[in-house]
Amino acid sequence: MDAQNKEVAALIEKIAGLQSAIAELPSLSPSPEVDRLFTDLVTACVPPSPVDVAKLSPEHQRMREALIRLCSAAEGKLEAHYADLLATFDNPLDHLARFPYYSNYVNLSRLEYELLARHVPGIAPARVAFVGSGPLPFSSFVLAAHHLPEAQFDNYDLCGAANERARKLFGASEDGVGARMKFHTQELGAYDVVFLAALVGMAAKEKAKVIAHLGAHMLEGASLVVRSAHGARGFLYPIVDPEDIRRGGFEVLAVHHPEGEVINSVIVARKAVDAQLSGPQNGDAHARGAVPLVSPPCSFSTKMEAGALEKSEELATKELAF
């Protein structure tokens, strides 16, 4: 076995052990043990790696899918916890940085906007939808406050409790941003831009079904921004195949895989005006590896990520006592 294969095998073994330990936890709510295990998982998965999750054995594919679902559940509990914490402040929006990954949302939203502006020149949407917004819709808030100041943001989440938490925090904004943010559980309407959260549709077939649904209902020419993952980060979030986006009725404009602090990959697409545009003869250069670099790479540090999770642990165990 060559050095690269040994590296991949060791990484998979480590991740499988962490998945097993996480699955045995009595609860995924924030706690020292939960935070320790997820710190180890993030530290293992985020650095560049030669692993190709598409080539995993069936056993390891099942492990990966189970792990992504555990990550999704833990992320939901972490966000609900901090939503309740932030709600204890008179001005919650002044304390958003207490969430340990807030800076990641700031950086990811900026990256998405820059990719969108580059590949959809003159973009000035009046209506934007964010699908899978959760109890802490940081992405919508950052985009509305800093990048799309004229747009109306409609946030969609199937969880009514998540929408209520988000409405309580962001609907009370006095600077005009909250007035442009609404929260829904119902069917999507007509939007100029739709953002698809990473954990909406966790298995490949589920994700493809969601994208196909968007393709059937979005306006022709509207833009779609999809969060994905690359390399070992595919153990944390689903990997979206650009071919599934094209099959859903979209033209793929750009695929970007950050290597720094931002974990998620970003795919920018446009609802095809002509159904033929979504065929395999179009957009191949983007879908098959042309990765546009919009800004200098973020300087990723595993120490930074671990520190953020240590902060999460400290706040999770103390601050709700306010």
Side-chain angles (χ1 to χ4, degrees):
M1 183 182 292
D2 61 32
Q4 187 174 92
N5 288 337
K6 288 182 179 179
E7 178 185 350
V8 169
L11 178 62
I12 293 174
E13 182 180 0
K14 181 172 184 176
I15 292 173
L18 289 168
Q19 187 273 335
S20 178
I22 291 170
E24 292 176 358
L25 290 169
S27 170
L28 293 175
S29 295
S31 70
E33 182 64 7
V34 169
D35 293 340
R36 182 187 67 79
L37 288 171
F38 279 100
T39 296
D40 291 346
L41 180 63
V42 170
T43 301
C45 292
V46 172
S49 167
V51 68
D52 183 351
V53 299
K55 297 180 180 179
L56 293 175
S57 68
E59 176 187 359
H60 288 143
Q61 286 287 7
R62 289 191 293 272
M63 176 274 292
R64 172 180 169 261
E65 291 183 3
L67 180 57
I68 290 174
R69 293 184 186 279
L70 288 168
C71 289
S72 175
E75 186 171 312
K77 289 183 179 297
L78 182 68
E79 290 194 4
H81 170 88
Y82 275 92
D84 292 340
L85 169 64
L86 290 170
T88 64
F89 294 99
D90 292 335
N91 297 300
L93 301 188
D94 293 339
H95 302 276
L96 299 183
R98 286 178 175 266
F99 186 75
Y101 300 111
Y102 180 66
S103 63
N104 185 69
Y105 284 96
V106 171
N107 293 331
L108 176 56
S109 297
R110 180 174 62 243
L111 172 61
E112 289 173 325
Y113 173 75
E114 290 175 346
L115 285 169
L116 190 62
R118 170 174 288 191
H119 295 281
V120 187
I123 186 74
R127 299 188 68 202
V128 175
F130 195 99
V131 181
S133 50
L136 290 176
F138 289 139
S139 297
S140 289
F141 175 77
V142 171
L143 287 163
H146 301 290
H147 304 297
L148 297 170
E150 304 299 325
Q152 167 74 41
F153 278 76
D154 287 340
N155 299 278
Y156 288 85
D157 200 290
L158 290 176
C159 178
N163 283 336
E164 284 302 314
R165 283 185 166 101
R167 191 177 292 114
K168 184 176 181 180
L169 292 177
F170 293 88
S173 173
E174 297 178 358
D175 62 1
V177 177
R180 292 188 286 118
M181 294 179 63
K182 308 299 180 185
F183 303 91
H184 312 276
T185 58
Q186 302 302 315
E187 189 69 29
L188 279 172
Y191 295 93
D192 304 303
V193 180
V194 174
F195 290 82
L196 182 61
L199 292 172
V200 176
M202 285 175 278
K205 289 183 179 179
E206 295 172 4
K207 184 75 73 173
K209 185 176 180 181
V210 171
I211 292 170
H213 179 82
L214 292 174
H217 292 87
M218 284 175 59
L219 294 171
E220 290 187 349
S223 300
L224 176 66
V225 181
V226 180
R227 294 178 178 177
S228 181
H230 182 67
R233 300 175 184 206
F235 286 100
L236 303 173
Y237 292 100
I239 293 176
V240 182
D241 187 346
E243 288 294 334
D244 286 335
I245 295 178
R246 284 209 293 270
R247 281 191 288 267
F250 296 90
E251 176 189 4
V252 176
L253 303 177
V255 179
H256 183 74
H257 302 306
E259 293 185 354
E261 180 184 353
V262 174
I263 294 176
N264 292 109
S265 299
V266 179
I267 303 173
V268 177
R270 178 168 49 211
K271 174 68 181 295
V273 177
D274 185 326
Q276 292 182 348
L277 287 178
S278 61
Q281 71 274 24
N282 289 280
D284 284 352
H286 291 298
R288 294 179 182 175
V291 182
L293 297 177
V294 176
S295 57
C298 299
S299 56
F300 170 78
S301 164
T302 55
K303 183 177 180 181
M304 179 190 305
E305 293 289 342
L309 277 171
E310 288 171 4
K311 178 182 176 183
S312 167
E313 174 183 324
E314 179 182 353
L315 292 174
T317 54
K318 296 180 180 179
E319 284 194 315
L320 279 185
F322 283 2

